[in-house]
Amino acid sequence: MNVSARGPAEHATFDQAAVAAELADAIAEERAGRQHGAVSTVMRRAVVAARLDAMKHADRGDRIAARLSRSMAALIKAVFSSAAPKNADICICAVGGFGRGELAPFSDIDLLFLHKAGEDAALRPILDAMLYPLWDSGLKVGHGVHTPKSALDLVKDDMIARTAYLDMKFLCGAKPLFEKFDDAFRKFRKRTASQFVAAKLAEQGERQEAVGATRYLAEPNIKEGKGGLRDVQTIRWIYNYVYDGAIGNSVEIDKILGAGNVRALVKAERFLWSVRAHLHDLRGRADEQLTFDIQPAVAERLGYADRRDMSAAERLMRHYFVTAVETGRLTRILCARLEEESTKRLPRLPGRLPKKLQSDEAPGKPNIRIRGGRLDFDSAARARRTPRDFFRYFRAFSKNPKIDFHPDALALIADHATDVTSDVRKDPVAAALFKGILESNDNPVRTLRVMTETGLLSKYVPAYGDIVGRIQYGLYRQYTLDEQLLRAISVYRDIRTGKLADEHPVSTRVVKTAANPYVITLALFLHETAWTVKGKSPLECEKLIGRIVRRLGLDREEAALAAWGAANHLLLVRTAERRDLTEAHTIARFAEAVGSIDRLNLMVVLSTCHLRVVGRYSWDEVIRRQLTELYDAAAAWFEGGEDALQARLENRVRLAHEEARTRLADWSDNERDAFLAQLTDEMLRCVDSEIIVRFAYLARAAAEDRADAAVTVTPRDGDLECIIYADDRPGLLADVAGAVANAGLSVRSVQAMTTADGRAFDIFAVQSADDAPADDPLLARRLHEALLTAARATPKKQPNLKRRLGDRRQIFHVEPAVRIEQEASQDAVVFEAEGLDRPGLLYDIASALGALDVSIASAHVATYGERAVDAFYLTDARGEKITDRRLLTKIEKALYGALDAGAAP
């Protein structure tokens, strides 16, 4: 069926001859006044048919783009042939992606209209006849109207136009106009090559910074992101501008980049175009962000399947990251070639090998030289025979990172990384060189990243190689596992040099007093190894890491410490987030699980570095206070046992009591003493004195007004901090959580406590469900009203728990789990409920518990992207620890029911 048929668009095919004939008829009908809008109707159907035709008949993304470009060109030619007068002095050129023959299904169409000077009056009707049908068809059309001279004047000052016109292609009309401008533009390019190269590389850096200056984002922009299509196009633009020829069109020109690299570029481009074409088609619009919700569908389109240890979407993204790395390598090669071709050198770089690079941890002179201002092998043949030279090469760079890598050396290493066998991994000299790279290096992260990109690091430490390019499919992490790990090492480097001493005094002190900081470095380098271990067993992970760090130079005792810390690095933060840190029993159990002060010290550094980079919201002041409190309490236990711990907790209560008394100095003695008498030791241990004082004035105002509840809502670090003072009752926590959900917000953390006289003292940290700041004044006012209503009495209406537009948590699946820990507390049973986070999850859980004969002693909420883990300290109705097995089973069943309720989107 051709485009003129009136059937559903899904069944249309694109027939160029039929399109041309139907457009000619439609134009004639409109000119005769017999129809209105006939041309636009034909164009709309034709555009849809062209997209469907390209997706149906092309098997690769680059072929889809080329086929669609040909169809769009045919459409424009058909309109022009019927709408423009014969022998009109006007020329239509495709520019930009259209000129290159690269159109995704919903790409813009960019056109250049060239005309003779003095033809303005005759030009307008032709432009209207061309552009209005294109616009009416739904296409986004960008256009410029110039004489050959004005077009040349434009490219002299406008780099965007210069780049777009570089891909100019004649479509129809007066070809001499095209040839005149093309000839002048070519001459201009010969005079301005260095200017163009500098501008495009600067533009590339600015663009990448704007969308995220890393090629390892878990949700990358495949067009503008680092390593994406725009970077591939930048290589082609520079090549074309400098050498006046497209890559692949000239054997002589391609020698500059090399046949193998040209093939690699084409392969990368084909993959990226396949992803982009299907992304557009699936979205039904121009969208370049490869987000989590669309990754599985794109993976299915491209033929990826689930594997035992990796989903189809994860396999797609790993392929993407490999491609992005390859694009970066090719850019580096081209830049070096341009320097060599123009005989330029980097400023103030030595021509001979600096003295400090003439020796290292290995015997003999390094196989290193400076070539073209870059670090290269002195003998490529020797380097091919001696894998140890690879490590000496990166060791030299670590000593002087101002001397950049030579692409020939990196290509050699990449080609021979497979020569790093078990014997090389066991080589103590290679281990000493690797230690130097990690420890004696102003920028170890860049060195490690390039070692990763060449494949050397993956072969040297296969457990690290297993996580390269891998993502955790979810909203918690923002980078690939290897990129997150390298960024954590960067944080560690800043702690080690004292740059973060004010932000992380505990970690800074630990690092400065460490017997061997290399233990921390290796533990951090391997702390994501659990992803490579079946079942993520901490014990198996510990064994694997122990073997690795032993061959990397640690003795048996150091290796055991590093292995334990790397395998159990989440124990500190999980305890801090999910347990009552005011209980001596909790602290003691945690310290016993850790086992030694050295392990605790290692863990606090690993946790800090990990949390600073793993997620967008994984680190804030709340987390910092929790980690510090748990660390200090456990350190006291290691120093003096339970007596020292108890003394610390009692001293904390005393200091908090004294500070609150000081801050309430303007109160009368009787009023101040009466208030402080209602505060339990738990409150004084875990709540900042500032909040205690705010609570005091809240309680005083409620008493003066004879109110049964009072609420404050305060913006804090992009969240809303809510303090609720009310008569305690069953279901209060659920009512308050329901009010938060009804306002379209999410509970980030909660502290639920009760004063000595039975009044509820709850502190909620509330955040937006869509990652936007929640500190809008109007939103705070509405939330305050809703919380006050809920605190006074159970609302008559159930909260609206529908998901809001833009809430992406629903695209994931989290298997519900309920864990019961009877020994975690002396006075209560701890229930952990884990499942998919959603609006009102805490409301559903608290309501389920409220329907049972139990009391919530405290609640601790933790969220990790789409995953929520809520921990509840539960007692029976008498406030005693639950021992009835039937009640424990009923609670477990109720929690599973709450996790399942409303879980389906």
Side-chain angles (χ1 to χ4, degrees):
M1 180 179 292
N2 61 41
V3 71
S4 62
R6 298 297 191 266
E10 287 77 5
H11 301 294
T13 58
F14 190 81
D15 185 326
Q16 292 185 16
V19 169
E22 191 165 1
L23 277 171
D25 291 344
I27 290 172
E29 290 290 298
E30 287 197 10
R31 283 177 175 169
R34 290 189 291 269
Q35 287 194 42
H36 176 75
V39 177
S40 298
T41 300
V42 174
M43 287 291 291
R44 279 194 295 271
R45 290 204 311 272
V47 168
V48 172
R51 288 171 179 155
L52 292 169
D53 174 80
M55 296 303 300
K56 179 179 179 181
H57 293 101
D59 58 347
R60 286 198 321 244
D62 58 322
R63 291 174 177 168
I64 292 171
R67 189 179 182 97
L68 185 56
S69 297
R70 290 193 296 270
S71 298
M72 292 297 106
L75 270 178
I76 291 167
K77 292 175 184 178
V79 175
F80 182 80
S81 65
S82 298
K86 296 200 180 293
N87 301 320
D89 284 327
I90 185 171
C91 164
I92 303 179
C93 307
V95 296
F98 189 19
R100 292 191 302 273
E102 296 177 346
L103 287 181
F106 290 89
S107 289
D108 296 353
I109 303 292
D110 293 316
L111 298 173
L112 171 63
F113 293 87
L114 292 172
H115 65 95
K116 281 187 176 181
E119 297 287 337
D120 295 355
L123 186 63
R124 175 53 58 190
I126 299 174
L127 290 176
D128 290 346
M130 290 296 305
L131 292 172
Y132 279 107
L134 293 173
W135 287 329
D136 290 343
S137 71
L139 291 172
K140 291 184 178 180
V141 182
H143 71 284
V145 183
H146 291 280
T147 64
K149 182 181 183 304
S150 68
L152 186 63
D153 290 339
L154 177 65
V155 300
K156 290 178 181 178
D157 300 322
D158 190 326
M159 192 60 66
I160 295 176
R162 193 188 304 187
T163 305
Y165 293 175
L166 184 62
D167 295 313
M168 181 175 59
K169 178 183 178 182
F170 172 76
L171 290 180
C172 51
K175 195 167 186 179
L177 290 170
F178 166 81
E179 292 171 341
K180 183 177 181 180
F181 172 59
D182 185 53
D183 182 61
F185 189 28
R186 285 178 184 275
K187 292 177 182 178
F188 171 77
R189 296 203 301 264
K190 290 180 180 179
R191 303 192 304 268
T192 57
S194 60
Q195 179 198 43
F196 182 82
V197 171
K200 296 317 291 183
L201 293 177
E203 176 189 293
Q204 182 184 55
E206 292 170 3
R207 168 173 46 80
Q208 292 170 353
E209 189 67 35
V211 298
T214 175
R215 57 178 63 95
Y216 304 100
L217 289 170
E219 295 182 296
N221 185 307
I222 64 167
K223 180 182 177 182
E224 303 291 348
K226 192 171 185 177
L229 268 170
R230 191 64 84 202
D231 282 0
V232 174
Q233 290 159 357
T234 298
I235 295 173
R236 290 190 176 277
W237 287 329
I238 292 174
Y239 220 78
N240 192 352
Y241 203 103
V242 174
Y243 302 115
D244 195 25
I247 295 175
N249 290 350
S250 169
V251 174
E252 289 302 315
I253 293 176
D254 288 349
K255 285 181 179 178
I256 297 168
L257 192 59
N261 290 323
V262 170
R263 288 193 297 271
L265 182 69
V266 171
K267 183 179 179 182
E269 196 169 25
R270 286 175 178 173
F271 169 76
L272 291 171
W273 265 109
S274 293
V275 173
R276 189 183 184 208
H278 287 288
L279 178 58
H280 274 221
D281 189 53
L282 286 164
R283 291 289 197 201
R285 55 185 169 84
D287 188 355
E288 315 300 348
Q289 206 76 32
L290 193 54
T291 50
F292 286 124
D293 59 319
I294 204 70
Q295 288 173 11
V298 174
E300 183 180 3
R301 284 276 190 97
L302 296 182
Y304 292 88
D306 292 343
R307 293 289 185 264
R308 179 180 59 83
D309 61 340
M310 198 178 298
S311 69
E314 288 174 318
R315 294 181 64 222
L316 164 71
M317 295 311 298
R318 197 166 199 179
H319 191 172
Y320 170 83
F321 295 122
V322 170
T323 300
V325 168
E326 186 71 346
T327 302
R329 183 183 71 84
L330 294 170
T331 302
R332 189 183 294 116
I333 289 173
L334 179 58
C335 291
R337 292 288 184 267
L338 290 171
E339 289 175 9
E340 291 177 349
E341 287 290 313
S342 58
T343 66
K344 292 180 180 178
R345 298 293 183 265
L346 296 176
R348 295 186 297 279
L349 284 179
R352 57 194 297 271
L353 198 65
K355 184 175 181 180
K356 68 177 181 179
L357 302 189
Q358 295 177 15
S359 63
D360 53 29
E361 290 81 0
K365 183 180 177 181
N367 178 23
I368 304 294
R369 66 166 173 159
I370 305 296
R371 178 161 71 94
R374 294 170 181 264
L375 199 63
D376 197 6
F377 289 113
D378 188 37
S379 168
R382 174 185 158 185
R384 293 187 189 97
R385 297 191 305 269
T386 315
R388 183 187 288 178
D389 281 356
F390 303 163
F391 297 91
R392 301 188 79 172
Y393 178 83
F394 284 109
R395 181 68 180 104
F397 175 78
S398 72
K399 293 181 178 183
N400 193 346
K402 293 182 180 179
I403 307 177
D404 205 356
F405 302 104
H406 197 287
D408 286 350
L410 297 183
L412 187 152
I413 294 171
D415 290 342
H416 293 271
T418 53
D419 295 341
V420 177
T421 61
S422 176
D423 289 340
V424 177
R425 288 192 284 270
K426 294 176 182 177
D427 179 9
V429 176
L433 290 165
F434 186 62
K435 180 179 180 180
I437 291 168
L438 286 174
E439 295 292 277
S440 303
N441 192 341
D442 289 337
N443 192 356
V445 172
R446 187 181 180 213
T447 312
L448 292 173
R449 187 172 285 127
V450 179
M451 290 178 73
T452 300
E453 293 173 358
T454 61
L456 176 62
L457 193 52
S458 296
K459 293 300 179 182
Y460 187 56
V461 185
Y464 172 81
D466 288 341
I467 68 170
V468 169
R470 187 167 182 177
I471 62 170
Q472 180 185 15
Y473 189 63
L475 297 175
Y476 184 54
R477 293 179 185 260
Q478 56 184 331
Y479 305 110
T480 60
L481 296 178
D482 55 307
E483 177 68 7
Q484 181 265 313
L485 186 152
L486 296 181
R487 286 174 178 253
I489 291 176
S490 181
V491 173
Y492 172 57
R493 183 70 185 176
D494 288 344
I495 291 174
R496 197 166 173 179
T497 58
K499 290 182 180 179
L500 299 178
D502 292 339
E503 295 179 56
H504 305 295
V506 174
S507 293
T508 301
R509 184 176 68 249
V510 167
V511 172
K512 283 186 176 181
T513 58
N516 183 2
Y518 192 42
V519 173
I520 305 175
T521 304
L522 288 181
L524 192 59
F525 174 64
L526 294 165
H527 81 277
E528 296 287 6
T529 302
W531 287 89
T532 71
V533 176
K534 186 177 181 180
K536 297 183 182 178
S537 164
L539 183 59
E540 293 302 315
C541 182
E542 189 176 342
K543 291 179 181 177
L544 173 60
I545 296 171
R547 293 193 296 269
I548 296 171
V549 296
R550 283 296 303 279
R551 68 172 176 82
L552 292 179
L554 298 187
D555 61 30
R556 188 176 298 278
E557 185 176 338
E558 292 171 335
L561 175 60
W564 187 91
N568 297 277
H569 68 278
L570 294 177
L571 178 59
L572 179 69
V573 64
R574 296 295 182 257
T575 303
E577 288 179 322
R578 305 178 191 175
R579 293 295 178 264
D580 184 354
L581 302 185
T582 68
E583 267 198 358
H585 179 75
T586 297
I587 306 301
R589 278 176 55 86
F590 167 75
E592 289 169 355
V594 173
S596 73
I597 188 65
D598 289 337
R599 286 181 171 183
L600 180 67
N601 286 338
L602 175 59
M603 190 183 296
V604 74
V605 178
L606 297 183
S607 297
T608 299
C609 296
H610 174 83
L611 293 171
R612 278 289 301 259
V613 299
V614 64
R616 292 184 182 90
Y617 307 102
S618 56
W619 181 267
D620 59 15
E621 184 60 22
V622 174
I623 291 293
R624 189 197 66 78
R625 287 200 306 265
Q626 289 174 334
L627 292 184
T628 302
E629 172 60 26
L630 181 55
Y631 172 85
D632 288 344
W637 187 91
F638 282 118
E639 183 178 351
E642 293 189 6
D643 290 343
L645 173 60
Q646 192 62 44
R648 182 186 182 280
L649 294 175
E650 291 173 357
N651 187 55
R652 183 177 177 86
V653 171
R654 180 181 59 79
L655 291 175
H657 198 278
E658 290 175 358
E659 186 169 355
R661 178 177 290 277
T662 300
R663 290 192 174 210
L664 297 174
D666 58 333
W667 288 28
S668 68
D669 290 343
N670 290 338
E671 186 181 23
R672 185 172 58 242
D673 291 342
F675 169 75
L676 293 175
Q678 302 307 316
L679 301 182
T680 65
D681 287 354
E682 175 195 1
M683 294 178 181
L684 293 169
R685 287 172 187 163
C686 69
V687 179
D688 284 351
S689 57
E690 177 188 345
I691 295 178
I692 290 288
V693 171
R694 285 163 56 195
F695 176 57
Y697 283 100
L698 194 67
R700 178 201 239 182
E704 290 173 351
D705 297 339
R706 297 184 179 180
D708 51 6
V711 172
T712 64
V713 176
T714 307
R716 187 177 295 274
D717 299 327
D719 293 344
L720 293 174
E721 184 181 77
C722 311
I723 301 177
I724 295 123
Y725 173 70
D727 290 330
D728 202 7
R729 67 173 190 274
L732 175 61
L733 181 62
D735 293 339
V736 172
V740 172
N742 213 29
L745 299 168
S746 295
V747 176
R748 186 185 179 282
S749 65
V750 58
Q751 290 175 279
M753 296 162 286
T754 305
T755 62
D757 62 346
R759 305 279 283 179
F761 174 25
D762 296 344
I763 307 168
F764 281 70
V766 175
Q767 64 185 8
S768 169
D770 56 5
D771 294 343
D775 51 4
D776 177 69
L778 293 177
L779 179 62
R781 191 176 300 124
R782 290 198 304 269
L783 179 61
H784 179 274
E785 183 179 344
L787 290 175
L788 187 58
T789 300
R792 287 171 173 164
T794 299
K796 296 179 180 179
K797 290 184 178 181
Q798 294 289 313
N800 180 9
L801 303 183
K802 292 182 179 179
R803 294 185 182 275
R804 300 183 70 187
L805 187 65
D807 186 349
R808 300 197 298 153
R809 293 172 295 186
Q810 61 184 319
I811 67 177
F812 302 98
H813 172 74
V814 178
E815 191 66 30
V818 175
R819 293 177 288 273
I820 306 173
E821 296 195 26
Q822 293 180 283
E823 303 303 321
S825 171
Q826 289 181 320
D827 304 318
V829 177
V830 177
F831 283 80
E832 278 191 359
E834 179 175 358
L836 181 68
D837 196 18
R838 64 176 189 272
L841 175 61
L842 180 60
Y843 168 79
D844 285 337
I845 292 176
S847 296
L849 294 175
L852 301 173
D853 198 20
V854 296
S855 177
I856 301 174
S858 67
H860 308 268
V861 175
T863 55
Y864 312 97
E866 74 284 355
R867 183 183 302 271
V869 183
D870 297 348
F872 298 89
Y873 282 64
L874 301 182
T875 63
D876 61 22
R878 301 185 303 275
E880 298 177 357
K881 190 169 183 177
I882 301 171
T883 57
D884 187 338
R885 291 182 177 273
R886 288 175 297 181
L887 181 55
L888 292 173
T889 302
K890 286 176 65 177
I891 296 171
E892 182 181 25
K893 185 177 179 180
L895 289 175
Y896 270 115
L899 291 171
D900 290 334

